[in-house]
Amino acid sequence: MTKAILSSYIKKNTFIHKLNPLTKLIFLVAVIITVFAVKSFIYNLIIVLAIIPLAYSAKLLSKVFKPLRYLFIIFIVLYGIQSFLYPEKETILIDFGYGIAIWEEGVLFATIISLRLLAMIVHGYFFVLVTHPGDLVCSLRKIKFPYKFGYIVLSTLQVIPRVASQMETIIDAQKSRGLETKGSIANRLKAYSPLLGPLFLGSVQNVVERTIALESRAFSYETEKTSYRETYVRKKDKIIMASIVVFFTLYGVISWIL
Amino acid sequence: MSENVIEIKNLSFTYPAGVEALKDINLEIKKGEIVAIIGQNGSGKTTLVKHFNGLLQPTSGTVIINGKDAKQSTTAQLSREVGYVFQDPDDQLFMSKVKDEIAFGPKNLKMKKNEVNKRVRDTLKLVKLWKFRNTHPLDLNLDDKKLIAIASIIAMNPHVIILDEPTSGQDHRGILRAESLIKKLSKEHTIIIISHDMDLVSKIAQRVIVMYNSKILMTGTPKEVFIKTSLLAKTHLKPPLITQLSQKTKGMRSDILSIDEFIEELKTKKPHSSKSR
């Protein structure tokens, strides 16, 4: 039967899992800033590949690349459009004649964008895998983030797996009514697109119901709230946080100098 | 001997996350049978029926539908033979008009336009919801939505119809309507229902399959199953109230399934002698 989905978090007993969520959050933010700040794509590639040792040490190597299969189409579209239509084109890679050609600058640009996307998604997903959502909210509140903001973070983390499983049920129901979902990408898009309506409406309806459920449990009552979970910023967290900031600053600077 | 529409041999299924949901299931369902699958939530009922139309593929073992291995067909292909009505109609209904909703399945089966229209009309008249043909399905109340979900499968005319919780959340009238519809359908179809509604099960099922802990605990006619109270208690299932009453009444048979049967049985008992002078 279906199991209750809290978030994508997978419980393991590793060094990375035991770190304070803020340490991991700072790492994620540093990664995202850096992939946009550095100049050449080699540096972005290194950051993307850095996920492999990280995921290995967290015993999640097989899980961390899961979201990539959904990105496939985005990459195709990105390369398709940019290779042909990038505005600052100078060097022709492949000429098809009639003014249609693949341009080197376009391919390079598409590569940089894809690597940025990849880095954000892989590292972002890794963050979600190793961070208990409750711990994240608890530690955010300790650094004075508002309670409601904490809830927004928490519900966002929960919403993705929930929508995914809802989507699966809806697709199963339509397959049972003879909807063919195998075949070419065009076929699949045609099959899936009418299902987005009910999925979206269902999510909105869900929000309304959640609001009522939360309010009936005094969500917006003005008082100091206690937390069921407890997190601490330990010495190792402080050292790692400082190292992250120093390392990524240097990394960015080096990418500009070399 | 009627032939088997569904044959399951040594079926085991483990979800990708590692949960073993079915363990070594062996089962045959004959053509024209009305089978009820009961058991606690999480006992594997839904997982089992999802194998009947290829939504899930066995981790090991085989599922044979109408003599063919289910592995060789997609769910869409199997939908000609096995229709599956989901528990929550909101997951299933997505068109903006009831008649389009009913037409969706037949169109997927590549039927001609006038055949589709005929199916829509016949089906909606069968479930007595023809008057709602231009209504938005989600504007209907739950009872009607459930009927529309069933109708959308009936319109495809599959031989086997699986109904997941056809009466859950419905009022008395809705339950009676679903019940009489299932009875009508059973004349031409093989019916498989998943239900927690023991009254419904005892009234319509010819055979009951009790699932417990990913396995089939027992199978038999409602009478055979509901007298095994201690085995049922293990799965936190209870026979229908009238059966429980007769089981606790001295001198009554323990396999009574309906009020009429209970009264008949009472009439055969002699009044107590203490009242005679």
Side-chain angles (χ1 to χ4, degrees):
Chain A
M1 285 289 292
T2 46
K3 62 186 168 81
I5 301 161
L6 240 182
S7 77
S8 310
Y9 172 69
I10 297 174
K11 195 177 175 186
K12 293 255 160 86
N13 193 14
T14 71
F15 179 75
I16 293 182
H17 279 81
K18 279 187 226 154
L19 286 175
N20 188 288
L22 293 178
T23 314
K24 295 177 246 187
L25 187 61
I26 285 177
F27 180 77
L28 178 62
V29 171
V31 161
I32 293 172
I33 294 175
T34 313
V35 290
F36 281 95
V38 297
K39 217 166 54 169
S40 89
F41 69 87
I42 301 279
Y43 289 89
N44 280 348
L45 185 63
I46 293 171
I47 290 184
V48 172
L49 294 179
I51 196 69
I52 294 172
L54 284 173
Y56 180 77
S57 72
K59 296 179 183 164
L60 290 169
L61 198 52
S62 60
K63 298 275 190 309
V64 77
F65 295 107
K66 226 176 97 189
L68 291 189
R69 54 187 171 155
Y70 303 113
L71 279 180
F72 188 61
I73 296 172
I74 298 179
F75 288 148
I76 290 175
V77 173
L78 196 66
Y79 272 95
I81 294 177
Q82 297 299 341
S83 313
F84 290 98
L85 302 171
Y86 188 66
E88 291 158 36
K89 44 198 172 194
E90 283 171 9
T91 331
I92 289 179
L93 269 185
I94 304 168
D95 197 348
F96 295 104
Y98 308 104
I100 302 169
I102 290 181
W103 300 84
E104 192 183 319
E105 289 77 13
V107 175
L108 273 178
F109 182 74
T111 309
I112 291 175
I113 298 282
S114 323
L115 281 172
R116 280 178 188 160
L117 263 177
L118 257 181
M120 286 195 290
I121 285 163
V122 173
H123 282 277
Y125 188 58
F126 180 63
F127 173 76
V128 175
L129 285 178
V130 295
T131 313
H132 190 288
D135 287 345
L136 175 65
V137 172
C138 174
S139 41
L140 283 175
R141 283 188 54 216
K142 283 202 169 173
I143 54 169
K144 304 284 176 234
F145 269 96
Y147 186 68
K148 280 179 187 167
F149 179 81
Y151 179 74
I152 292 171
V153 172
L154 186 71
S155 60
T156 312
L157 291 178
Q158 290 175 342
V159 98
I160 296 163
R162 184 170 334 110
V163 169
S165 85
Q166 178 79 9
M167 188 71 193
E168 207 174 311
T169 312
I170 291 176
I171 288 171
D172 277 357
Q174 303 318 327
K175 276 193 205 162
S176 308
R177 295 166 74 193
L179 183 73
E180 193 57 82
T181 53
K182 295 225 165 84
S184 66
I185 289 178
N187 266 349
R188 288 182 198 202
L189 283 177
K190 215 174 103 189
Y192 288 153
S193 50
L195 308 180
L196 293 174
L199 184 70
F200 180 72
L201 287 178
S203 304
V204 172
Q205 201 178 357
N206 224 327
V207 169
V208 177
E209 277 166 21
R210 267 177 158 245
T211 316
I212 297 168
L214 281 171
E215 282 313 317
S216 62
R217 287 187 274 166
F219 177 73
S220 54
Y221 186 65
E222 300 283 337
T223 180
E224 185 55 42
K225 312 236 168 165
T226 53
S227 175
Y228 176 69
R229 302 186 75 90
E230 189 61 274
T231 56
Y232 303 96
V233 178
R234 296 192 171 82
K235 200 175 162 193
K236 63 180 178 194
D237 287 304
K238 285 178 187 162
I239 296 170
I240 293 173
M241 279 184 205
S243 327
I244 290 169
V245 173
V246 172
F247 175 80
F248 279 97
T249 314
L250 284 176
Y251 193 84
V253 169
I254 289 171
S255 85
W256 279 91
I257 296 171
L258 292 181
Chain B
M1 269 288 284
S2 47
E3 56 184 304
N4 294 330
V5 271
I6 296 174
E7 268 182 59
I8 287 175
K9 285 184 195 128
N10 308 104
L11 165 67
S12 293
F13 180 77
T14 308
Y15 276 104
V19 184
E20 199 180 8
L22 295 175
K23 288 177 205 160
D24 200 28
I25 304 277
N26 286 290
L27 179 67
E28 284 166 2
I29 294 177
K30 292 192 173 64
K31 205 166 189 176
E33 253 192 312
I34 310 174
V35 177
I37 303 178
I38 60 175
Q40 274 171 282
N41 288 337
S43 59
K45 305 183 297 285
T46 302
T47 310
L48 177 63
V49 299
K50 278 186 174 175
H51 283 84
F52 296 171
N53 74 339
L55 282 174
L56 294 175
Q57 294 293 346
T59 311
S60 66
T62 48
V63 177
I64 311 276
I65 310 291
N66 267 341
K68 259 179 32 188
D69 193 334
K71 253 182 203 159
Q72 285 155 10
S73 317
T74 63
T75 299
Q77 286 160 350
L78 281 171
S79 68
R80 286 172 190 278
E81 291 160 39
V82 183
Y84 180 8
V85 184
F86 277 57
Q87 184 176 351
D88 184 355
D90 288 351
D91 290 336
Q92 202 178 320
L93 307 177
F94 68 99
M95 291 286 185
S96 56
K97 278 182 185 165
V98 165
K99 60 178 182 190
D100 296 335
E101 197 66 64
I102 307 293
F104 179 75
K107 276 184 185 164
N108 281 333
L109 299 183
K110 308 266 186 291
M111 283 179 196
K112 292 210 178 73
K113 205 176 171 190
N114 40 8
E115 174 67 15
V116 172
N117 291 339
K118 185 178 174 298
R119 293 264 179 119
V120 171
R121 200 170 47 242
D122 292 351
T123 318
L124 282 176
K125 287 196 168 153
L126 176 75
V127 297
K128 301 194 177 81
L129 292 175
W130 175 244
K131 57 178 184 269
F132 290 130
R133 61 191 175 278
N134 289 320
T135 312
H136 196 298
L138 301 185
D139 285 339
L140 300 173
N141 65 33
L142 179 69
D143 295 7
D144 291 338
K145 264 195 283 190
K146 282 217 149 194
L147 274 189
I148 292 296
I150 299 174
S152 74
I153 296 295
I154 298 174
M156 297 168 73
N157 199 25
H159 178 66
V160 181
I161 297 178
I162 304 169
L163 301 153
D164 197 341
E165 294 277 358
T167 55
S168 70
Q170 299 205 47
D171 60 18
H172 187 62
R173 186 176 135 261
I175 293 174
L176 289 181
R177 266 202 311 185
E179 204 180 293
S180 77
L181 179 62
I182 296 169
K183 275 186 185 154
K184 245 187 247 170
L185 290 174
S186 67
K187 284 174 190 149
E188 288 173 19
H189 300 268
T190 303
I191 306 281
I192 299 167
I193 60 169
I194 293 179
S195 189
H196 291 298
D197 182 344
M198 295 304 145
D199 278 325
L200 177 79
V201 170
S202 69
K203 272 187 215 158
I204 66 169
Q206 295 165 346
R207 185 151 67 107
V208 181
I209 295 167
V210 185
M211 295 210 52
Y212 174 65
N213 246 348
S214 318
K215 284 182 180 159
I216 293 180
L217 183 70
M218 59 175 154
T219 153
T221 62
K223 276 186 193 289
E224 287 166 356
V225 165
F226 287 131
I227 53 171
K228 291 178 183 152
T229 40
S230 55
L231 208 51
L232 279 178
K234 196 166 139 189
T235 78
H236 301 281
L237 290 170
K238 276 187 175 166
L241 284 175
I242 192 71
T243 314
Q244 291 182 46
L245 178 66
S246 58
Q247 283 166 354
K248 284 177 184 166
T249 312
K250 233 182 193 173
M252 292 293 271
R253 279 184 8 238
S254 58
D255 63 347
I256 287 170
L257 293 181
S258 70
I259 293 177
D260 292 342
E261 220 179 317
F262 190 85
I263 292 170
E264 281 307 309
E265 180 77 4
L266 268 186
K267 281 182 188 162
T268 65
K269 307 278 171 215
K270 281 178 187 164
H272 282 292
S273 50
S274 61
K275 282 190 179 171
S276 56
R277 297 210 171 147

